Amino acid sequence: MPTALIDNHLSFLPAAAILAARDKDVPTRPGAPEALAALAAAKACLAARNDLSAVEERRANEARFIAQAWGLSPRGARRSVLIAAGLDADRWESPIHSFTDAERIELRAATRAAIRVYERLFNAI
């Protein structure tokens, strides 16, 4: 026969424990020293993330993955994107970082257009 767990009801606990638990959930008031310290710590963390050397290091790490993604793409896909971007299709073997910024912008636009076409085809099928 199941029994009720009435011994664990809040009314059987001392009021100090209930009030302490309630006060723990009260948000910190604005301007409180602990709130300002937490805000300063968050700003310092963001400043470190936005440090120029950290950004350059992240880009250097991402560059390898960008190059791999381009290099592992099928030859036909690279050639069709190059043609759609108005570039020489024979550059399909060139590393992605050999293209200028303007050429890479054109490649992105051509890729987005190709994705839209393939999505329409996929949805039609």
Side-chain angles (χ1 to χ4, degrees):
M1 172 183 232
T3 59
L5 299 175
I6 198 156
D7 292 340
N8 293 333
H9 193 270
L10 286 177
S11 63
F12 291 102
L13 295 176
I18 297 170
L19 294 175
R22 186 195 68 185
D23 290 342
K24 204 178 352 177
D25 292 334
V26 173
T28 309
R29 57 180 212 290
E34 57 270 9
L36 294 175
L39 187 59
K43 285 181 179 179
C45 181
L46 288 174
R49 288 178 71 192
N50 291 333
D51 184 24
L52 187 57
S53 62
V55 171
E56 290 174 359
E57 182 179 331
R58 247 193 332 257
R59 283 187 185 150
N61 290 339
E62 291 172 358
R64 189 180 94 220
F65 296 116
I66 292 169
Q68 286 176 347
W70 172 258
L72 294 176
S73 300
R75 172 185 172 209
R78 283 182 275 166
R79 287 178 61 84
S80 64
V81 168
L82 286 168
I83 292 169
L87 301 173
D88 184 19
D90 292 332
R91 292 181 66 189
W92 68 273
E93 287 184 299
S94 300
I96 192 67
H97 292 52
S98 69
F99 294 96
T100 64
D101 287 341
E103 290 173 333
R104 290 178 76 177
I105 290 170
E106 292 298 322
L107 287 170
R108 281 190 188 105
T111 303
R112 284 190 184 109
I115 288 170
R116 285 192 298 272
V117 168
Y118 283 117
E119 283 178 345
R120 276 186 261 148
L121 286 171
F122 180 73
N123 291 332
I125 294 171

